[in-house]
Amino acid sequence: MFKKIIFTTLIVLYALYGNAQKSLNDYKYIIIPNAFEFSKSDDQYQLNSLTKFLFNKYGYKAYSIDELSEDLKKDRCLALTADVSNDEGGMFKTKLEIILKDCYNEEIMRSKIGESRIKEFKKAYHEALRDAFETFQNLDYKYEGKGVANNMSKPEPQIDEKPMQSAKVVSQTTPKKEEITKEVEAPRNLGAEIYYAQSILNGYQLVNSEPRIVMILLKSSAKEVFIVKDKDAIVFKKDGQWIYSENDEKTTTEKVLNIKF
Protein backbone atom coordinates (compact mmCIF):
# COMPACT_ATOMS: atom_id res chain seq x y z
CA MET A 1 0.00 0.00 0.00
CA PHE A 2 2.81 2.36 0.97
CA LYS A 3 4.65 1.67 -2.29
CA LYS A 4 1.47 2.36 -4.24
CA ILE A 5 1.07 5.76 -2.55
CA ILE A 6 4.69 6.67 -3.32
CA PHE A 7 4.30 5.58 -6.94
CA THR A 8 1.08 7.59 -7.35
CA THR A 9 2.72 10.65 -5.83
CA LEU A 10 5.66 10.38 -8.22
CA ILE A 11 3.31 10.10 -11.19
CA VAL A 12 1.44 13.24 -10.12
CA LEU A 13 4.68 15.18 -9.59
CA TYR A 14 5.99 14.04 -12.95
CA ALA A 15 2.79 15.19 -14.65
CA LEU A 16 2.94 18.59 -12.93
CA TYR A 17 6.60 19.03 -13.84
CA GLY A 18 5.96 18.02 -17.43
CA ASN A 19 3.10 20.49 -17.82
CA ALA A 20 5.12 23.31 -16.29
CA GLN A 21 8.09 22.49 -18.50
CA LYS A 22 5.98 22.41 -21.64
CA SER A 23 4.34 25.71 -20.74
CA LEU A 24 7.62 27.49 -20.05
CA ASN A 25 9.10 26.24 -23.30
CA ASP A 26 6.31 27.99 -25.19
CA TYR A 27 7.61 31.40 -24.13
CA LYS A 28 10.68 33.16 -25.46
CA TYR A 29 11.19 35.85 -22.81
CA ILE A 30 10.64 36.82 -19.20
CA ILE A 31 9.58 40.42 -18.51
CA ILE A 32 10.71 41.93 -15.21
CA PRO A 33 8.58 44.87 -14.01
CA ASN A 34 10.13 47.94 -12.40
CA ALA A 35 8.41 47.06 -9.12
CA PHE A 36 6.67 44.01 -7.74
CA GLU A 37 3.15 44.23 -6.32
CA PHE A 38 4.29 44.21 -2.69
CA SER A 39 7.12 46.72 -3.30
CA LYS A 40 6.89 50.32 -2.13
CA SER A 41 9.26 51.69 -4.80
CA ASP A 42 10.91 50.72 -8.07
CA ASP A 43 13.55 48.00 -7.66
CA GLN A 44 13.20 48.08 -3.88
CA TYR A 45 16.12 46.23 -2.26
CA GLN A 46 17.35 45.61 -5.86
CA LEU A 47 14.95 42.65 -6.03
CA ASN A 48 13.92 43.40 -9.61
CA SER A 49 17.52 43.68 -10.77
CA LEU A 50 18.41 40.45 -8.98
CA THR A 51 15.40 38.66 -10.49
CA LYS A 52 16.45 39.67 -14.00
CA PHE A 53 20.05 38.65 -13.30
CA LEU A 54 19.10 35.22 -11.97
CA PHE A 55 16.74 34.41 -14.86
CA ASN A 56 19.53 35.23 -17.33
CA LYS A 57 22.05 33.30 -15.24
CA TYR A 58 19.97 30.13 -15.42
CA GLY A 59 19.45 30.21 -19.18
CA TYR A 60 16.32 32.33 -19.70
CA LYS A 61 16.07 35.59 -21.65
CA ALA A 62 14.92 38.25 -19.22
CA TYR A 63 14.28 41.90 -20.02
CA SER A 64 13.21 44.75 -17.81
CA ILE A 65 9.96 46.41 -18.88
CA ASP A 66 11.92 49.38 -20.27
CA GLU A 67 14.22 47.42 -22.61
CA LEU A 68 12.03 45.03 -24.58
CA SER A 69 13.31 43.41 -27.75
CA GLU A 70 11.75 44.43 -31.07
CA ASP A 71 9.74 41.24 -31.54
CA LEU A 72 8.48 41.47 -27.97
CA LYS A 73 7.30 45.04 -28.51
CA LYS A 74 5.17 43.75 -31.39
CA ASP A 75 3.88 40.66 -29.57
CA ARG A 76 3.80 40.72 -25.77
CA CYS A 77 2.47 37.15 -25.75
CA LEU A 78 5.98 35.91 -26.53
CA ALA A 79 6.81 36.54 -22.88
CA LEU A 80 5.79 35.72 -19.38
CA THR A 81 5.76 38.48 -16.78
CA ALA A 82 7.43 37.77 -13.45
CA ASP A 83 6.03 38.83 -10.11
CA VAL A 84 7.35 38.13 -6.62
CA SER A 85 4.91 37.51 -3.80
CA ASN A 86 5.84 38.31 -0.20
CA ASP A 87 4.27 36.32 2.64
CA GLU A 88 3.96 39.00 5.32
CA GLY A 89 2.44 36.58 7.80
CA GLY A 90 5.74 35.04 8.84
CA MET A 91 7.13 36.55 12.04
CA PHE A 92 10.56 34.94 12.01
CA LYS A 93 11.03 34.17 8.31
CA THR A 94 11.05 36.09 5.06
CA LYS A 95 9.15 34.10 2.43
CA LEU A 96 9.11 34.91 -1.28
CA GLU A 97 7.45 33.17 -4.20
CA ILE A 98 8.04 33.81 -7.91
CA ILE A 99 4.96 33.80 -10.14
CA LEU A 100 4.96 33.78 -13.95
CA LYS A 101 1.88 34.99 -15.85
CA ASP A 102 1.14 35.18 -19.56
CA CYS A 103 -0.09 38.17 -21.57
CA TYR A 104 -3.69 37.39 -20.51
CA ASN A 105 -2.66 37.55 -16.84
CA GLU A 106 -3.13 33.80 -16.50
CA GLU A 107 -0.74 32.12 -14.08
CA ILE A 108 1.60 29.67 -15.87
CA MET A 109 3.95 28.66 -13.10
CA ARG A 110 4.74 29.32 -9.46
CA SER A 111 8.08 28.64 -7.78
CA LYS A 112 8.65 26.97 -4.46
CA ILE A 113 8.56 29.31 -1.46
CA GLY A 114 12.03 30.66 -0.77
CA GLU A 115 12.85 31.36 2.85
CA SER A 116 15.34 33.31 4.93
CA ARG A 117 15.80 33.87 8.67
CA ILE A 118 18.13 36.85 8.24
CA LYS A 119 16.84 39.91 10.11
CA GLU A 120 18.18 42.58 7.75
CA PHE A 121 15.52 43.18 5.09
CA LYS A 122 17.69 43.42 1.97
CA LYS A 123 19.84 40.37 2.77
CA ALA A 124 16.76 38.39 3.77
CA TYR A 125 14.92 39.22 0.52
CA HIS A 126 17.97 38.30 -1.56
CA GLU A 127 18.48 34.99 0.23
CA ALA A 128 14.79 34.07 -0.02
CA LEU A 129 14.70 34.99 -3.72
CA ARG A 130 17.75 32.86 -4.50
CA ASP A 131 16.16 29.99 -2.59
CA ALA A 132 12.94 30.32 -4.62
CA PHE A 133 14.98 30.32 -7.85
CA GLU A 134 15.99 26.71 -7.29
CA THR A 135 12.72 25.88 -9.07
CA PHE A 136 13.88 27.53 -12.32
CA GLN A 137 17.51 26.53 -11.90
CA ASN A 138 16.57 22.85 -12.08
CA LEU A 139 14.34 23.10 -15.17
CA ASP A 140 15.81 22.20 -18.54
CA TYR A 141 14.27 25.24 -20.25
CA LYS A 142 14.44 25.52 -24.02
CA TYR A 143 12.28 27.83 -26.13
CA GLU A 144 10.18 25.79 -28.56
CA GLY A 145 7.72 28.37 -29.80
CA LYS A 146 6.57 28.24 -33.41
CA GLY A 147 6.52 30.92 -36.08
CA VAL A 148 8.91 33.33 -34.35
CA ALA A 149 12.44 33.89 -35.59
CA ASN A 150 15.10 33.28 -32.97
CA ASN A 151 17.45 35.89 -34.36
CA MET A 152 15.29 38.99 -34.04
CA SER A 153 17.05 42.21 -33.10
CA LYS A 154 17.64 42.95 -29.42
CA PRO A 155 17.98 46.24 -27.53
CA GLU A 156 21.35 47.90 -27.17
CA PRO A 157 23.10 46.94 -23.92
CA GLN A 158 23.08 49.70 -21.31
CA ILE A 159 26.77 50.18 -20.65
CA ASP A 160 28.27 53.17 -18.89
CA GLU A 161 31.92 52.97 -19.87
CA LYS A 162 33.47 54.27 -23.09
CA PRO A 163 33.84 52.02 -26.13
CA MET A 164 36.43 49.33 -25.56
CA GLN A 165 40.01 50.14 -26.51
CA SER A 166 43.05 47.96 -26.13
CA ALA A 167 45.33 49.27 -23.37
CA LYS A 168 48.40 47.85 -25.08
CA VAL A 169 49.38 46.05 -28.26
CA VAL A 170 49.21 42.32 -27.68
CA SER A 171 50.04 39.34 -29.83
CA GLN A 172 47.16 37.89 -31.79
CA THR A 173 48.58 34.41 -31.21
CA THR A 174 46.58 32.44 -28.64
CA PRO A 175 48.82 31.46 -25.69
CA LYS A 176 49.52 27.76 -25.29
CA LYS A 177 47.80 26.05 -22.36
CA GLU A 178 51.05 24.71 -20.88
CA GLU A 179 52.45 28.26 -20.66
CA ILE A 180 49.55 29.63 -18.59
CA THR A 181 49.86 30.38 -14.90
CA LYS A 182 47.26 28.23 -13.16
CA GLU A 183 46.22 30.77 -10.54
CA VAL A 184 42.95 32.41 -11.53
CA GLU A 185 43.17 36.16 -11.24
CA ALA A 186 40.14 38.28 -10.41
CA PRO A 187 38.91 40.21 -13.49
CA ARG A 188 40.47 43.68 -13.61
CA ASN A 189 39.71 46.52 -15.99
CA LEU A 190 37.42 44.40 -18.14
CA GLY A 191 37.27 45.45 -21.75
CA ALA A 192 40.75 46.99 -21.75
CA GLU A 193 42.50 44.00 -23.32
CA ILE A 194 41.91 40.89 -25.38
CA TYR A 195 41.02 37.60 -23.70
CA TYR A 196 41.57 34.25 -25.40
CA ALA A 197 39.01 31.49 -24.82
CA GLN A 198 40.47 28.02 -24.41
CA SER A 199 38.21 25.00 -24.26
CA ILE A 200 38.04 23.09 -20.96
CA LEU A 201 35.63 20.54 -19.55
CA ASN A 202 32.12 22.07 -19.60
CA GLY A 203 33.27 25.50 -20.73
CA TYR A 204 36.21 27.79 -21.41
CA GLN A 205 39.03 29.48 -19.56
CA LEU A 206 39.83 33.07 -20.55
CA VAL A 207 43.50 34.01 -20.55
CA ASN A 208 45.21 37.35 -21.09
CA SER A 209 48.46 38.14 -22.88
CA GLU A 210 50.73 37.47 -19.87
CA PRO A 211 49.36 34.70 -20.12
CA ARG A 212 47.24 34.30 -17.00
CA ILE A 213 43.77 32.80 -16.44
CA VAL A 214 41.40 35.64 -15.59
CA MET A 215 38.05 33.89 -15.68
CA ILE A 216 36.39 30.46 -16.00
CA LEU A 217 33.22 30.31 -18.11
CA LEU A 218 30.88 27.37 -17.49
CA LYS A 219 28.29 26.36 -20.07
CA SER A 220 24.61 26.94 -19.33
CA SER A 221 21.48 25.56 -20.96
CA ALA A 222 21.15 28.74 -23.05
CA LYS A 223 23.06 29.37 -26.24
CA GLU A 224 25.91 31.90 -25.85
CA VAL A 225 25.27 32.35 -22.12
CA PHE A 226 28.01 31.31 -19.69
CA ILE A 227 28.12 31.25 -15.88
CA VAL A 228 31.27 32.80 -14.39
CA LYS A 229 32.80 30.36 -11.90
CA ASP A 230 32.94 31.59 -8.28
CA LYS A 231 31.20 34.88 -9.16
CA ASP A 232 27.58 36.08 -9.17
CA ALA A 233 28.03 36.89 -12.83
CA ILE A 234 27.31 35.67 -16.34
CA VAL A 235 28.85 36.33 -19.76
CA PHE A 236 26.46 36.44 -22.70
CA LYS A 237 26.42 37.62 -26.30
CA LYS A 238 24.32 40.64 -27.20
CA ASP A 239 24.29 42.43 -30.56
CA GLY A 240 27.58 40.81 -31.53
CA GLN A 241 29.36 41.77 -28.29
CA TRP A 242 30.24 39.67 -25.27
CA ILE A 243 28.82 41.21 -22.09
CA TYR A 244 30.04 40.55 -18.53
CA SER A 245 27.08 41.07 -16.14
CA GLU A 246 27.61 40.96 -12.38
CA ASN A 247 25.25 41.44 -9.42
CA ASP A 248 26.87 42.47 -6.12
CA GLU A 249 23.56 42.56 -4.17
CA LYS A 250 23.48 46.34 -4.62
CA THR A 251 23.33 46.77 -8.35
CA THR A 252 23.84 44.96 -11.64
CA THR A 253 26.79 46.14 -13.76
CA GLU A 254 27.50 45.27 -17.37
CA LYS A 255 30.80 45.59 -19.23
CA VAL A 256 31.96 44.65 -22.72
CA LEU A 257 34.56 41.89 -23.06
CA ASN A 258 36.84 41.43 -26.07
CA ILE A 259 36.96 37.63 -26.32
CA LYS A 260 38.68 35.66 -29.07
CA PHE A 261 37.21 32.15 -29.43
Side-chain angles (χ1 to χ4, degrees), residues 113-159:
I113 297 176
E115 298 183 350
S116 174
R117 291 182 178 273
I118 299 176
K119 293 182 180 180
E120 184 181 336
F121 282 121
K122 182 176 179 179
K123 290 183 178 179
Y125 281 129
H126 281 213
E127 183 175 69
L129 186 69
R130 290 177 183 276
D131 186 28
F133 253 95
E134 287 185 3
T135 298
F136 301 102
Q137 180 180 355
N138 296 327
L139 293 179
D140 186 20
Y141 166 79
K142 183 179 180 181
Y143 174 60
E144 296 176 350
K146 298 179 180 179
V148 180
N150 290 323
N151 59 350
M152 299 291 286
S153 58
K154 301 177 183 178
E156 292 293 329
Q158 298 178 356
I159 303 169

Side-chain angles (χ1 to χ4, degrees), residues 172 174 194-198 206 242 257-261:
Q172 295 298 316
T174 304
I194 298 174
Y195 299 111
Y196 301 92
Q198 297 183 333
L206 299 188
W242 288 102
L257 287 181
N258 190 355
I259 303 176
K260 300 294 184 182
F261 282 90

Side-chain angles (χ1 to χ4, degrees), residues 238-250:
K238 201 173 195 180
D239 293 338
Q241 293 180 310
W242 288 102
I243 308 296
Y244 175 91
S245 179
E246 181 174 3
N247 186 289
D248 61 2
E249 297 190 356
K250 293 182 180 179

